Amino acid sequence: MSDAIIVGIDIGTTKVCTLVARVEDNGRIRVLGVGIEPSQGIRKGSVVDLGAASQAIAHSIDKAERTSGLEITSALVSLAGSHVSGINSRGVVGISRQVVDDADVLRAMEAARAVAIPHNREVIHVIQRGFTVDGQDGIRMPIGMHGYRMEVEAHIITAAAATVENLRQVVGASGVQVTQFVLNPLASAEVALTDTEREMGVVVCDIGGGTSDMAIFIEGDVWHTMVLAVGGNHVTGDIAHGLRLPFSQAEELKLLHGQCLTSEVGEGETFPVRAFGEEEPVNVSRMELAHIIEARVEEIFSLMLQEIKRSGYDGLLPAGMVLTGGTSQLPGIRKLASEVLGLPVRLAQPENLRGMVDQLKSPAFSTSVGLIQWALLMSEVDPSVAARPIQVPQMKGLNMDKVREFLKRMLP
Ligand SMILES: Nc1ncnc2c1ncn2[C@@H]1O[C@H](COP(=O)(O)OP(=O)(O)OP(=O)(O)O)[C@@H](O)[C@H]1O
Ligand SMILES: [Mg+2]
């Protein structure tokens, strides 16, 4: 699929990022256009102001169109928020010709998907977690196997239909059709995780401004996803309250002097701050700031630990946690996370990109770049994820390896 153009729009709490990218012959991604715009009208992954959100998204799309010189008509869009939930389901089918083929796998996935989903929920992803053929379980890829009866264990991710429809509407206002919604942590995982980590068992965590998005990968597949409505904005909010500052000034202080570990701060370190109701700037100790940040970040990781334990997979994560998202840039966060979780923790950000990538080499853009990588995987089976005006080249017959890799991960 050379020359296919892919567009991803990451609608975050703090920023909207539209990327236009081309997939080169060697499978690498070249970024052709970038549109980063402060987010408006979006809170914790949901639209709270249609007009403001539409406008921020329109600006972001416009910038990406101008930098790339391409017209954007369709895009993959990130999805997050506590309205997203996952359920497990099972699909059973008879194997048509006693040898499993692609159609059998698709039918099994369809059967798993046919669980009763309330009408106010929309199915976002159907993820397979393993097949059973004639009673033998734990099969990763059943195609070509002999048998009479196949079952698939699936994880179905659904979202509140109204919230999804609102997002479709704010993107649609710019004349852009949403080809697919991709759950935030799944997009970030494409950037953050290595294959070895996925095989061993790992949790990827994207801490943004308003949400912390997590996905657990075991034996190469997604087993569980969680979205917590906490993020860097809560840290900033605490600083604003604690030091009696406007939010914008608290944010500035966090970026300039922030530290998650009080043990890393010297007693005498101070910086001047002009608080509410003060005529003159007063000196604030950096220790006080670190105390505020440490307390909140510790709480965020305790919540994550609770969620991981609730999933029941806490014992299956030898590769620990891979942290990404804007808030993962807080100094000391890796160590604090590791202490609270009792797991190894590593930081990740987009690497190996080409083209207009200066701004993108930051963990804040893992979801944005991950959307493109996700689409790359998808485009092998479904070329409609591409954007105009570049013609999507004729599929030279389906590349079955890619189709299988795709099926291995999930279906839309
Ligand atoms: N250098 C930094 N140090 C600490 N925090 C930072 C830094 N840079 C950005 N942040 C924080 O990262 C957060 C934004 O992260 P990100 O861009 O990943 O969020 P988002 O994708 O817009 O939001 P979400 O994913 O929650 O909807 C903000 O809270 C910001 O304060
Ligand atoms: Mg984000």
Side-chain angles (χ1 to χ4, degrees):
M1 280 291 296
S2 59
D3 282 334
I5 300 289
I6 294 172
V7 181
I9 309 177
D10 173 15
I11 306 176
T13 311
T14 66
K15 53 138 197 339
V16 180
C17 175
T18 303
L19 294 185
V20 181
R22 188 176 62 218
V23 182
E24 299 191 322
D25 279 337
N26 52 12
R28 282 182 64 148
I29 288 169
R30 179 174 292 276
V31 179
L32 304 176
V34 180
I36 301 168
E37 186 68 21
S39 188
Q40 306 276 331
I42 302 281
R43 210 164 289 157
K44 298 175 187 170
S46 300
V47 179
V48 291
D49 181 335
L50 285 171
S54 305
Q55 204 170 36
I57 293 166
H59 283 149
S60 162
I61 290 174
D62 188 50
K63 277 188 191 167
E65 285 186 332
R66 272 189 284 129
T67 45
S68 65
L70 296 172
E71 181 195 356
I72 299 171
T73 55
S74 61
L76 277 86
V77 173
S78 70
L79 185 76
S82 36
H83 64 98
V84 177
S85 61
I87 51 163
N88 290 328
S89 168
R90 192 170 260 268
V92 186
V93 290
I95 300 166
S96 43
R97 282 187 294 270
Q98 280 77 62
V99 176
V100 180
D101 60 20
D102 297 304
D104 294 322
V105 172
L106 285 173
R107 274 194 305 122
M109 297 295 275
E110 274 307 315
R113 192 192 170 117
V115 286
I117 305 280
H119 72 279
N120 60 350
R121 309 286 302 169
E122 184 170 325
V123 175
I124 305 296
H125 299 290
V126 180
I127 304 164
Q128 66 89 359
R129 298 165 46 193
F131 293 86
T132 305
V133 177
D134 286 0
Q136 186 197 335
D137 62 4
I139 295 171
R140 294 285 302 283
M141 214 349 108
I143 291 173
M145 287 188 171
H146 290 260
Y148 293 93
R149 182 176 189 270
M150 178 169 67
E151 287 170 42
V152 62
E153 193 79 51
H155 186 63
I156 300 178
I157 295 172
T158 66
T163 310
V164 173
E165 202 40 58
N166 286 337
L167 278 170
R168 209 173 262 133
Q169 192 181 332
V170 292
V171 175
S174 301
V176 175
Q177 195 198 343
V178 180
T179 18
Q180 199 195 343
F181 285 102
V182 181
L183 193 63
N184 259 7
L186 300 183
S188 302
E190 290 300 316
V191 159
L193 300 184
T194 64
D195 287 345
T196 318
E197 284 167 336
R198 285 172 195 259
E199 276 303 321
M200 286 179 72
V202 71
V203 51
V204 61
C205 181
D206 183 311
I207 315 187
T211 61
S212 295
D213 318 313
M214 298 194 280
I216 291 178
F217 287 78
I218 297 169
E219 292 172 5
D221 294 319
V222 189
W223 282 28
H224 195 80
T225 50
M226 303 156 275
V227 179
L228 296 181
V230 283
N233 282 353
H234 298 81
V235 177
T236 308
D238 288 357
I239 298 170
H241 270 273
L243 302 180
R244 286 188 225 104
L245 303 170
F247 191 88
S248 56
Q249 207 180 338
E251 176 75 14
E252 206 179 301
L253 279 187
K254 180 178 84 172
L255 302 189
L256 264 179
H257 305 287
Q259 167 62 257
C260 292
L261 298 166
T262 45
S263 56
E264 296 289 317
V265 178
E267 274 300 339
E269 291 180 51
T270 61
F271 49 86
V273 168
R274 192 187 226 108
F276 279 125
E278 298 283 345
E279 300 261 299
E280 293 294 314
V282 291
N283 275 336
V284 172
S285 82
R286 187 151 176 245
M287 186 62 95
E288 196 178 341
L289 179 69
H291 266 298
I292 297 172
I293 298 175
E294 188 176 56
R296 176 60 87 162
V297 174
E298 215 175 282
E299 193 206 349
I300 292 178
F301 285 107
S302 308
L303 281 173
M304 289 178 190
L305 183 62
Q306 259 178 34
E307 282 295 321
I308 293 171
K309 287 200 165 139
R310 195 175 320 169
S311 76
Y313 302 125
D314 47 320
L316 301 173
L317 305 170
M321 178 180 275
V322 176
L323 260 186
T324 190
T327 298
S328 71
Q329 293 169 95
L330 267 177
I333 196 164
R334 199 194 62 77
K335 195 162 169 220
L336 183 58
S338 186
E339 278 168 20
V340 176
L341 301 168
L343 290 171
V345 176
R346 169 176 90 79
L347 302 179
Q349 66 178 41
E351 308 280 355
N352 294 328
L353 292 170
R354 289 176 178 192
M356 305 182 55
V357 295
D358 295 347
Q359 296 155 287
L360 303 178
K361 278 193 185 147
S362 149
F365 296 104
S366 290
T367 309
S368 322
V369 176
L371 277 175
I372 301 292
Q373 298 200 339
W374 175 279
L376 175 59
L377 202 66
M378 280 275 303
S379 65
E380 300 290 343
V381 272
D382 178 6
S384 68
V385 289
R388 263 196 337 183
I390 299 284
Q391 289 292 312
V392 180
Q394 283 269 304
M395 299 271 283
K396 319 178 217 46
L398 281 181
N399 173 341
M400 281 326 288
D401 286 344
K402 285 288 179 181
V403 173
R404 276 173 203 149
E405 189 183 349
F406 164 72
L407 281 173
K408 238 170 66 189
R409 297 210 185 173
M410 70 201 52
L411 288 173

